[in-house]
Amino acid sequence: MIAALAAAGALLAPASSMQLPPLPPIRRDPQVTYVDRQGAVLGVRGGRYAPPVDLAKLPAHVPAAFVAIEDRRFYEHTGFDPVGIARAIMVGVGEGRATQGASTITQQLARNLYLTSDRTVERKAREVLLAVQLEQTYSKRQILSLYLSRVYFGSGAYGLEAAAQRYFNKPAARLSVMEAATLAGVLKAPTEYNPALQPERAAARARLVLNAMVETGAISPSERAKALAKPVNARRSATTAPAQYFVDWLDGQTRTLVGTPKQDLIVETTLDLGLETAAADAARTTVDRHRAQGARQAALVAVDGQGRVRAMVGGVDYGLSPYNRAADARRQAGSAWKPFVYLAALEAGRTPDMMVVDEPLTIGRWSPRNYSEEYLGEITLERALAQSVNTVAARLADEVGRGQVAGAARRMGITSPINVEPAMALGTTLVSPLEMAQAYAGFANGGQRVAAYGVERIRTSGGAVVYQRKPAPLAQAAANPPLSDLNRMLRAAMVSGTGARAAIPGYDLAGKTGTTSDYKDAWFAGYTGGFATVVWMGRDDAQPMGPITGGGAPAEMWRAFMVTALKRIPARAIPPGPPAPPPAVAVEAPAPTPVAAAPVG
């Protein structure tokens, strides 16, 4: 042992006074931070590492916890700890590699910045020399700031700020003593001491950190007792996990708007994190409740009357499946498509009170059937939509022209290719929940077409604006009386029709269920004044659910979300839309002017 200590001292002691060559520059790829409407962080894309931590904004106990457990002589040494390194050499002698760490905070930073994690004696020597160079170049506060911004805390969290948000849903500046000790304890083994996945091991490790903090004078024994009396409760999954679908959706758009970031950017979005949490909860709990019926996945999109995406859930668990079913999946809409059929019919002169006949029908070689396998006979057009009668919708589309139906859908905001086969009236066109929400938002805002969007502004971390969305006037896509008639009919669908399970007393709501014939897709699309929400449920393997209809689980999910949304929007009545044009006035045509006969020869 004495020989090893002597060797270590002889090798390393002079390094602290040597004039070493300049360090390579510290490189950090720019990050793009996405925030919600109130400024809450939703997610970060781009570079792995955040800017150096601002120690001045942290409570003293936060950096002290890391120094106490990782490197209690941090403020005294010149980059390395000869005693610790000698111990590592003793353990590794004869094995040709370093088997123990003994790395100071500065050494750990040097390894993070410039080296690999290979455990060789050569790499260890290089690490020490770089640590000395760091100490000669930067102050202790700068080194600690860089270190805390780069260490890995498990669960995808790099840096102290990301870890505080991931496990405790708060900024690092608000970490308690016990929370700081818990995070400091993670660094030894981020998987073994992960507070979300291994709470008992993490708590035991945190107690060791608290003891070290007492030994170094960072806290008193009474402060340790208070900390131990308030155990932490780390979140198993990040609060913002569901919002990652939305962030992924925006990230490519951000680079289209501003190019490859050359500096850190902050993207101010349209998302409401409170609504996002409510949407994710509704999706997860509803799918779990109907799992025995074959439900596996769900998506939800909520869009306001200006096109702002206020919530987007692309699946029940982003960690298990980041595929965004809200924006990227194209599924048959079923009867949620029928409002476009009825809009075209109303524009062609039909009215809600017009009588139609529900009876067997054949168009070409296709004979649509009703879900109930029964026929209601003579009914009003309003009841036909409320009860989602297939034969009536198919006949209407055939009469007014499926091209007209496609045109109505396109005007309202459907962007996917639209087929014009006879069955299109029953929703065989493949669409995404996002474009359906975009289209239904036009019913909710008085008939104006919106383009769903998520980015309001992009600025640098210093506040310079590099992109600002400029609102454009919305085009009128549907007018009265067809619009007000359709709203009336879709209200009836939620009062006395297939959407009754989605109704919420005391609010002006309208909507439509949708179910494909083989139960592979189930939808509920509905709205109130200036706010539309579309829900889809199904399976990624396209297997049937047994049976789930739009008026069942999707309506339940829609209602569960809207109960929260209606308290936050705030809710208002569905607007009536533009005034109906005045009736045409018949004008008597003037008598024709006599024409002189052509002269004869």
Side-chain angles (χ1 to χ4, degrees):
M1 177 67 174
I2 295 175
L5 283 170
L11 176 66
L12 301 172
S16 61
S17 58
M18 293 170 56
Q19 286 300 316
L20 300 171
L23 283 168
I26 296 175
R27 301 189 182 280
R28 187 182 72 83
D29 293 333
Q31 289 187 329
V32 180
T33 300
Y34 293 85
V35 299
D36 86 334
R37 290 166 58 86
Q38 286 77 40
V41 174
L42 298 173
V44 178
R45 296 294 184 270
R48 174 179 292 176
Y49 304 115
V53 171
D54 188 348
L55 295 181
K57 295 182 179 179
L58 298 178
H61 61 256
V62 174
F66 292 87
V67 171
I69 197 65
E70 289 292 314
D71 184 6
R72 65 177 60 187
R73 287 184 288 275
F74 171 69
Y75 290 105
E76 285 75 47
H77 65 62
T78 56
F80 64 94
D81 181 356
V83 175
I85 291 180
R87 185 183 302 112
I89 292 174
M90 284 288 294
V91 173
V93 70
E95 298 185 26
R97 64 188 182 92
T99 58
Q100 289 189 1
S103 294
T104 64
I105 282 176
T106 315
Q107 287 175 254
Q108 292 179 52
L109 178 61
R111 183 167 62 246
N112 184 293
L113 291 173
Y114 304 118
L115 302 173
T116 68
S117 57
D118 295 338
R119 291 188 174 185
T120 64
V121 173
E122 292 79 6
R123 196 273 294 160
K124 195 72 175 180
R126 176 67 174 152
E127 176 185 294
V128 171
L129 290 175
L130 287 169
V132 172
Q133 287 177 281
L134 284 170
E135 293 275 351
Q136 291 180 353
T137 307
Y138 300 101
S139 69
K140 290 288 187 180
R141 288 179 66 84
Q142 288 174 317
I143 290 170
L144 187 55
S145 295
L146 279 167
Y147 170 78
L148 291 176
S149 71
R150 287 179 171 255
V151 283
Y152 183 56
F153 290 88
S155 295
Y158 287 86
L160 179 63
E161 189 63 38
Q165 295 285 354
R166 164 62 184 84
Y167 294 118
F168 305 122
N169 193 33
K170 62 171 62 173
R174 290 173 46 205
L175 288 171
S176 68
V177 172
M178 190 62 181
E179 290 165 343
T182 300
L183 292 182
V186 169
L187 299 187
K188 182 178 182 181
T191 299
E192 183 175 354
Y193 298 116
N194 186 305
L197 304 178
Q198 302 288 348
E200 294 182 0
R201 290 182 179 179
R205 176 72 177 163
R207 286 193 290 272
L208 293 179
V209 176
L210 291 174
N211 292 340
M213 293 175 74
V214 172
E215 293 168 4
T216 57
I219 60 174
S220 66
S222 62
E223 288 174 316
R224 174 180 57 189
K226 289 180 181 179
L228 289 169
K230 296 180 179 179
V232 300
N233 183 22
R235 296 177 179 269
R236 189 168 181 85
S237 62
T239 304
T240 57
Q244 302 317 300
Y245 293 108
F246 175 76
V247 173
D248 286 348
W249 176 61
L250 288 189
D251 199 44
Q253 299 176 38
T254 297
R255 282 156 176 74
T256 299
L257 291 172
V258 300
T260 301
K262 301 295 191 297
Q263 58 185 316
D264 290 340
L265 297 176
I266 297 172
V267 179
E268 299 174 4
T269 76
T270 60
L271 202 78
D272 182 323
L273 188 55
L275 290 181
E276 182 74 0
T277 301
D281 289 345
R284 182 179 58 256
T285 57
T286 307
V287 168
D288 286 348
R289 188 163 57 247
H290 293 274
R291 190 167 292 275
Q293 294 176 267
R296 292 294 183 271
Q297 281 295 346
L300 181 151
V301 181
V303 178
D304 71 17
Q306 297 298 309
R308 292 178 285 251
V309 176
R310 301 286 291 274
M312 175 185 283
V313 172
V316 296
D317 191 326
Y318 179 86
L320 293 178
S321 177
Y323 176 62
N324 190 342
R325 298 155 189 86
D328 299 331
R330 298 292 189 276
R331 308 291 289 242
Q332 289 188 359
S335 293
W337 180 267
K338 287 178 182 174
F340 307 127
V341 176
Y342 280 80
L343 177 60
L346 292 166
E347 290 174 340
R350 274 67 169 183
T351 66
D353 298 318
M354 180 177 289
M355 302 304 293
V356 291
V357 179
D358 174 21
E359 60 185 356
L361 174 69
T362 297
I363 302 174
R365 297 182 179 181
W366 177 61
S367 299
R369 295 183 301 170
N370 293 328
Y371 175 76
S372 66
E373 300 288 348
E374 298 177 350
Y375 300 98
L376 301 177
E378 194 173 43
I379 55 176
T380 64
L381 210 62
E382 180 175 294
R383 186 182 177 194
L385 180 56
Q387 298 297 325
S388 201
V389 177
N390 286 339
T391 61
V392 173
R395 190 189 302 275
L396 282 174
D398 193 54
E399 290 175 351
V400 303
R402 288 180 289 277
Q404 295 298 108
V405 174
R410 189 72 73 206
R411 288 202 318 271
M412 295 309 300
I414 297 299
T415 56
S416 293
I418 300 173
N419 75 73
V420 291
E421 298 297 321
M424 71 89 77
L426 307 187
T428 57
T429 293
L430 301 178
V431 291
S432 72
L434 176 62
E435 62 186 311
M436 286 292 281
Q438 176 175 271
Y440 271 70
F443 300 145
N445 70 3
Q448 296 177 309
R449 173 176 174 155
V450 305
Y453 71 96
V455 176
E456 294 282 15
R457 187 168 72 153
I458 304 174
R459 56 182 170 83
T460 68
S461 55
V465 176
V466 296
Y467 168 80
Q468 176 72 58
R469 180 179 175 84
K470 296 179 180 179
L474 301 179
Q476 196 70 38
N480 283 324
L483 175 65
S484 57
D485 286 345
L486 182 64
N487 285 335
R488 167 189 157 181
M489 297 163 76
L490 291 174
R491 287 187 182 101
M494 292 190 67
V495 174
S496 59
T498 57
R501 195 173 295 187
I504 303 171
Y507 294 96
D508 187 14
L509 304 174
K512 185 70 189 74
T513 58
T515 312
T516 56
S517 59
D518 50 11
Y519 301 109
K520 291 181 180 179
D521 303 281
W523 299 72
F524 191 87
Y527 54 98
T528 187
F531 192 83
T533 299
V534 170
V535 164
W536 167 88
M537 292 185 69
R539 298 169 60 112
D540 290 338
D541 59 10
Q543 292 300 304
M545 297 179 290
I548 291 178
T549 66
E556 294 172 13
M557 178 176 157
W558 189 90
R559 186 184 192 281
F561 168 72
M562 289 296 289
V563 164
T564 297
L566 289 167
K567 297 175 183 176
R568 293 178 66 96
I569 303 173
R572 59 188 178 91
I574 299 169
V585 178
V587 179
E588 183 178 353
T593 302
V595 178
V600 179

